[in-house]
Amino acid sequence: MSDKWKEQTVAVAIDGPSGAGKSTIAKLLAKELQFIYVDTGALYRAIGYMALRRGISLQDAAGIEALLPDLRVEIRYMDGSQRVLVNGEDVSDKIRTPDVSMAASAVSSLPAVRRFLLDLQRDMAKTNNVIMDGRDIGTVVLPDARVKIFLTASAEVRARRRFEELKEKGVPTTYDEVLADMEKRDYDDSHRAAAPLKAAEDAILVDTSSLDLDGAVSAIKAVVEKALG
């Protein structure tokens, strides 16, 4: 890779379905390239978590919208890792459960929630070299990103990866439950009215179904290096 990209800020947008490995891969790649990693999904999880904690129905769009002015959502980097804070409380570990995952999908379908978080995401890309992952980064959040990647894998492979991850964290669930949640979230994310999950027209498709983590990181890195020249 040449040093030309260092002369201006560079945004790498990585979109894809839940469980495709976006966050893990983006985090490792950002470390290698010395970019800032931005996990946008964690922002939606934070709002979903707060809606659940406040007892607001995920079908109550007005109630969720009314919650937003009371929330101060921040991303901070502590000891080299991204932490998500809501009103000063670190909720990074609390937002990684299946219930919060489904809540994140529900709140992310609301235009008010997307508007609420949009400026926060764009502001980070204006002043930093970033790798940002989510569902609509290349299509909506950063449509002018220098590199756009759509990262995917089969639902079965993604469910197996997520199941193993939750099992390691001691979260009680089964593979069948995780697969069912994954398939429902895929449908919900791709059929929502506001910024549905889809690949940008100029995105490069990368399927990691047959790749291990190292292979996936290498594949994405090769795409980024080729695009940046």
Side-chain angles (χ1 to χ4, degrees):
M1 186 190 304
S2 74
D3 291 335
K4 292 180 181 179
W5 59 269
K6 294 182 179 179
E7 298 172 3
Q8 55 185 311
T9 56
V10 171
V12 177
I14 301 180
D15 292 309
S18 177
K22 299 185 303 294
S23 297
T24 301
I25 292 169
K27 192 181 304 181
L28 292 170
L29 186 58
K31 186 175 181 180
E32 284 195 35
L33 299 178
Q34 296 185 322
F35 278 28
I36 296 294
Y37 164 62
V38 183
D39 176 6
T40 62
L43 302 175
Y44 290 99
R45 285 174 176 270
I47 293 177
Y49 169 75
M50 293 303 296
L52 292 176
R53 196 162 88 171
R54 298 280 181 89
I56 301 173
S57 169
L58 298 178
Q59 284 70 51
D60 183 3
I64 294 171
E65 184 171 354
L67 171 69
L68 300 178
D70 294 332
L71 302 182
R72 187 179 77 258
V73 182
E74 303 172 85
I75 289 179
R76 293 185 187 173
Y77 292 87
M78 305 176 183
D79 299 324
S81 65
Q82 176 184 276
R83 309 298 291 179
V84 179
L85 286 74
V86 180
N87 297 341
E89 176 190 354
D90 187 343
V91 298
S92 306
D93 297 327
K94 298 175 182 178
I95 62 176
R96 296 298 175 181
T97 66
D99 285 347
V100 174
S101 179
M102 295 307 295
S105 182
V107 302
S108 68
S109 70
L110 303 178
V113 172
R114 306 199 75 83
R115 288 194 301 269
F116 178 73
L117 294 175
L118 186 58
D119 287 343
L120 173 62
Q121 297 169 64
R122 285 180 172 171
D123 286 346
M124 296 193 73
K126 287 178 182 177
T127 55
N128 301 279
N129 291 328
V130 299
I131 294 182
M132 192 176 295
D133 74 278
R135 302 291 191 282
D136 64 343
I137 308 305
T139 54
V140 176
V141 180
L142 301 176
D144 297 323
R146 288 271 296 279
V147 187
K148 298 177 186 177
I149 295 167
F150 193 82
L151 184 66
T152 190
S154 70
E156 292 76 15
V157 168
R158 289 185 284 119
R160 176 61 62 187
R161 291 171 180 169
R162 180 60 55 81
F163 172 65
E164 294 298 335
E165 175 186 326
L166 293 172
K167 187 167 66 173
E168 287 181 9
K169 293 181 178 179
V171 177
T173 188
T174 67
Y175 167 77
D176 288 339
E177 289 174 336
V178 174
L179 177 59
D181 285 345
M182 192 79 68
E183 291 175 335
K184 182 179 187 305
R185 183 160 189 186
D186 285 352
Y187 181 86
D188 291 346
D189 287 348
S190 59
H191 287 79
R192 67 191 182 202
L197 169 67
K198 63 179 181 179
E201 290 184 2
D202 52 347
I204 297 170
L205 177 67
V206 178
D207 190 318
T208 67
S209 296
S210 61
L211 299 175
D212 61 13
L213 180 57
D214 289 341
V217 172
S218 295
I220 298 296
K221 185 178 180 181
V223 170
V224 173
E225 290 181 333
K226 181 177 180 180
L228 295 182

